[in-house]
Amino acid sequence: MRTIRVETSAATILLTEAPEPKIRDRQTGEIAKDAVSGEALMTIGVVYIEEGESSLIKVTVPESGVSEGLILGSPVSLPGLVARPWESVFNGQQRHGIAYRAAAVTPAAFPAAMEATA
């Protein structure tokens, strides 16, 4: 499937869920690993706000890309954010969605326009 680069320069992204290990197999508790590097993967929850609309999304980040100093509710940056459409069949039912992945998650500042209205 095609990977689509997500332009984030005009967006405000707020951390809503702290980083936690991405589980590959819920029954065994196996942690998901990057297919190329073998590095453990983490997931975070964010609210992505752009042009007056918002979406709650989960983003996968390599463990080494999780910065110190992340605070729930604070703005973050997601360098290298991409979206990848997916679909699968599970128990005879077709499922589909969009998976998000970033190279890192780092603390960011509120845009000046938001600070002026706060």
Side-chain angles (χ1 to χ4, degrees), residues 46-99:
V46 299
V47 61
Y48 185 96
I49 307 165
E50 187 174 24
E51 296 181 1
E53 295 190 17
S54 64
S55 298
L56 289 170
I57 62 173
K58 293 265 192 183
V59 180
T60 300
V61 179
E63 189 172 34
S64 65
V66 177
S67 295
E68 295 291 323
L70 297 174
I71 301 169
L72 289 180
S74 66
V76 293
S77 176
L78 296 171
L81 182 63
V82 295
R84 178 177 293 138
W86 62 268
E87 60 182 49
S88 67
V89 177
F90 183 74
N91 287 336
Q93 294 197 347
Q94 188 159 354
R95 300 174 51 191
H96 62 276
I98 300 173

Side-chain angles (χ1 to χ4, degrees), residues 5-41:
R5 191 170 80 82
V6 179
E7 175 57 52
T8 60
S9 62
T12 299
I13 305 168
L14 304 175
L15 186 66
T16 59
E17 294 178 30
E20 59 184 43
K22 181 174 184 168
I23 305 298
R24 181 176 188 271
D25 184 331
R26 292 181 196 274
Q27 291 190 353
T28 65
E30 180 185 358
I31 303 297
K33 307 271 187 197
D34 182 272
V36 176
S37 70
E39 182 176 4
L41 297 173

